[in-house]
Amino acid sequence: MFTIKLLLFIVPLVISSRIDQDNSSFDSVSPEPKSRFAMLDDVKILANGLLQLGHGLKDFVHKTKGQINDIFQNSTYLIKEEKELRRTTYKLQVKNEEVKNMSLELNSKLESLLEEKILLQQKVKYLEEQLTNLIQNQPETPEHPEVTSLKTFVEKQDHSIKDLLQTVKEQYKQLNQQHSQIKEIENQLRMTNIQEPTEISLSSKPRAPRTTPFLQLSEIRNVKHDGIPADCTTIYNRGEHISGTYAIRPSNSQVFHVYCDVISGSPWTLIQHRIDGSQNFNETWENYKYGFGRLDGEFWLGLEKIYSIVKQSNYVLRIELEDWKDNKHYIEYSFYLGNYETNYTLHVVKITGNVPNAIPENKDLVFSTWDHKAKGHFSCPESYSGGWWWHDECGENNLNGKYNKPRAKSKPDRRRGLSWKSQNGKLYSIKSTKMLIHPTDSESFE
């Protein structure tokens, strides 16, 4: 390039010097015709300069082609590396979701075990008090065998809970590692740039190419809220539209888990579920008060938990039934639920549905169990098994009764089991039930 510039500078000087010589000779000597050989020398000099200029341009073109090929190869390598990083990130995100689901399931199991432990400790404490009284009155009386067995069972439960806690810690550790890997990969993607040539300079020195930032991967959304949601409707309004187990904390209540069932785009809190008879519903008053069973199977949420939810606003009660011929029915009520001091009195008014003669309307229904009998309802829980809301007489409808599967040659004892009495007086055995609640105002807790 320097040679080309030098030629471009010299050629005009040569031509101008020739012109000056001609002018001086014109002034000193009488005019005579210019020499043809002089003109040919000028042309040769100019031609030689143009030839060198052409060689210089040719070398520059070859150098530029080599630079473009290098840039193209680097761009291809970076694109392949980006694709590989994207695949790795996707795999880590999938693993992260699996670990999260496992952690939620372990938390649910751990909470159930903790609740069982509390109930067992209460029973042990009660029996120990009785045992202390017996020892004081009869010093020679040996320790009650039931107390010994309960102590052994509680110790086993303690070991199980410790194992679960250790498992949960390991899961959280694994989650943190997954998050760290994802963040590291995202940082690598942010720092990766695709080199793109945008200008070709006529200078002999290569110019640094302009860089364009890489397209960054979308970051994992981690939406944080100021507090734990009050019920399933709040969870749904925040974007969780999938049925499953979630943690809630109603006003002035402790945190506990519920199953949120999304039905036709509307979130419902499941408070009772019967599907296969795997859970015994002939439980004590304490268990009906605080809940029992598994949220992913058969369960009763607990009267105290139900009350903590419905006291926040006006709620609708929905009951879904399915008989052994796979016929499905439902009914919805507006309802009021009292607290512990009223034995969780229930008062319902029908809104809609296709189940006639369901829960008695416009009456105060008192909840009773075999070990906690409300006044005026002494025989109902023992006759029908399972805790339920009763009035001045024992009705036929008991969704917490004994689960009876149909038998081929003999009729099941429907009076004591899970059954529903139709308007014509016929008693139907029920295959599955759901009891769900939903606020009348879906914006109550937003």
Side-chain angles (χ1 to χ4, degrees):
M1 269 327 269
F2 179 78
T3 305
I4 296 170
K5 290 181 177 179
L6 183 61
L7 286 172
L8 293 175
F9 178 76
I10 292 172
V11 169
L13 291 177
V14 171
I15 294 171
S16 63
S17 65
R18 289 289 183 177
I19 293 171
D20 291 337
Q21 288 177 5
D22 291 341
N23 291 333
S24 62
S25 61
F26 179 80
D27 294 334
S28 60
V29 187
S30 59
E32 48 178 56
K34 292 184 180 180
S35 175
R36 292 184 180 178
F37 296 103
M39 295 297 291
L40 288 175
D41 290 338
D42 293 340
V43 171
K44 285 180 180 181
I45 293 172
L46 181 60
N48 189 27
L50 292 174
L51 181 61
Q52 291 182 5
L53 176 62
H55 285 300
L57 288 172
K58 183 179 179 182
D59 294 338
F60 177 73
V61 168
H62 283 300
K63 288 181 181 180
T64 305
K65 283 185 178 180
Q67 292 175 357
I68 291 173
N69 289 333
D70 292 340
I71 292 171
F72 179 74
Q73 290 176 358
N74 291 336
S75 300
T76 304
Y77 172 75
L78 290 174
I79 290 171
K80 290 181 180 179
E81 187 177 1
E82 177 212 0
K83 290 180 180 179
E84 187 64 29
L85 287 173
R86 285 178 182 273
R87 283 195 292 269
T88 305
T89 303
Y90 176 75
K91 290 179 181 178
L92 289 174
Q93 288 175 345
V94 172
K95 289 182 180 179
N96 189 22
E97 289 298 324
E98 292 177 356
V99 173
K100 280 185 179 179
N101 293 333
M102 291 174 64
S103 297
L104 288 174
E105 185 177 354
L106 286 172
N107 285 335
S108 177
K109 291 181 181 179
L110 180 61
E111 192 163 310
S112 300
L113 286 173
L114 288 172
E115 291 178 355
E116 290 180 6
K117 178 184 174 183
I118 292 171
L119 292 174
L120 288 172
Q121 286 177 340
Q122 292 176 352
K123 290 181 180 179
V124 170
K125 185 177 180 181
Y126 172 72
L127 289 173
E128 285 181 344
E129 290 176 354
Q130 288 185 337
L131 183 61
T132 303
N133 295 331
L134 286 173
I135 291 173
Q136 291 176 354
N137 296 329
Q138 299 178 359
E140 297 180 358
T141 303
E143 183 174 306
H144 200 284
E146 187 176 356
V147 174
T148 304
S149 62
L150 281 173
K151 284 183 177 180
T152 305
F153 182 75
V154 169
E155 290 176 358
K156 291 180 179 178
Q157 291 293 331
D158 281 333
H159 289 302
S160 299
I161 290 170
K162 288 179 181 178
D163 293 339
L164 278 173
L165 283 171
Q166 184 63 31
T167 304
V168 170
K169 288 179 180 179
E170 293 176 358
Q171 293 293 337
Y172 276 123
K173 185 177 179 181
Q174 187 175 357
L175 271 175
N176 290 331
Q177 292 176 352
Q178 296 287 346
H179 281 304
S180 299
Q181 291 178 0
I182 290 173
K183 287 181 179 179
E184 183 179 356
I185 289 174
E186 287 181 351
N187 289 333
Q188 290 178 4
L189 290 175
R190 291 190 187 100
M191 296 300 295
T192 305
N193 294 324
I194 295 178
Q195 295 182 344
E196 179 182 285
T198 57
E199 292 181 359
I200 299 177
S201 174
L202 295 177
S203 173
S204 59
K205 296 181 180 180
R207 181 180 295 179
R210 294 189 302 179
T211 57
T212 304
F214 223 138
L215 179 64
Q216 298 179 2
L217 290 178
S218 299
E219 297 182 357
I220 298 173
R221 296 183 63 188
N222 184 15
V223 182
K224 295 183 179 179
H225 305 294
D226 295 336
I228 299 174
D231 72 346
C232 291
T233 301
T234 309
I235 295 172
Y236 183 87
N237 291 340
R238 291 180 180 180
E240 297 288 347
H241 297 168
I242 301 175
S243 299
T245 303
Y246 297 91
I248 67 169
R249 181 168 58 194
S251 59
N252 301 322
S253 175
Q254 299 295 324
V255 178
F256 56 88
H257 284 82
V258 296
Y259 188 90
C260 297
D261 196 356
V262 179
I263 303 173
S264 300
S266 180
W268 293 77
T269 304
L270 193 59
I271 63 173
Q272 186 256 35
H273 197 194
R274 307 286 300 275
I275 49 175
D276 55 12
S278 58
Q279 173 66 44
N280 180 18
F281 271 67
N282 193 22
E283 290 285 354
T284 62
W285 171 262
E286 286 295 311
N287 285 349
Y288 268 101
K289 181 179 179 181
Y290 296 108
F292 55 86
R294 297 173 58 87
L295 291 175
D296 57 353
E298 292 197 333
F299 72 93
W300 173 261
L301 183 60
L303 292 165
E304 195 62 30
K305 294 176 182 176
I306 298 170
Y307 174 72
S308 69
I309 297 173
V310 302
K311 72 179 182 180
Q312 302 176 111
S313 180
N314 296 323
Y315 273 73
V316 175
L317 171 65
R318 179 184 176 94
I319 297 175
E320 296 181 358
L321 306 175
E322 182 179 2
D323 60 25
W324 290 98
K325 294 181 180 180
D326 296 331
N327 297 316
K328 296 182 180 180
H329 309 276
Y330 81 97
I331 190 167
E332 293 182 3
Y333 297 97
S334 62
F335 74 101
Y336 167 80
L337 182 67
N339 59 13
Y340 171 80
E341 296 177 353
T342 67
N343 291 312
Y344 302 102
T345 299
L346 178 68
H347 190 94
V348 302
V349 177
K350 179 179 177 181
I351 299 175
T352 183
N354 55 10
V355 182
N357 193 27
I359 300 176
E361 297 183 59
N362 300 314
K363 294 181 179 180
D364 291 331
L365 309 175
V366 180
F367 200 91
S368 299
T369 59
W370 62 268
D371 64 336
H372 184 91
K373 304 167 186 177
K375 184 178 180 181
H377 305 273
F378 294 105
S379 61
C380 293
E382 293 181 354
S383 301
Y384 288 78
S385 79
W388 192 244
W389 285 282
W390 309 101
H391 188 51
D392 53 357
E393 61 181 9
C394 299
E396 300 290 348
N397 302 327
N398 179 9
L399 300 188
N400 289 336
K402 182 180 179 182
Y403 192 92
N404 289 323
K405 296 182 179 179
R407 290 178 283 182
K409 296 183 179 180
S410 61
K411 295 182 179 180
D413 186 7
R414 292 173 177 172
R415 176 177 170 79
R416 294 177 180 270
L418 178 60
S419 58
W420 201 267
K421 190 173 183 179
S422 65
Q423 194 171 13
N424 58 13
K426 188 176 180 180
L427 195 63
Y428 289 93
S429 181
I430 299 301
K431 176 182 177 182
S432 67
T433 68
K434 279 186 178 181
M435 296 179 67
L436 312 100
I437 56 175
H438 175 75
T440 55
D441 181 8
S442 61
E443 303 295 331
S444 297
F445 314 113
E446 287 300 303

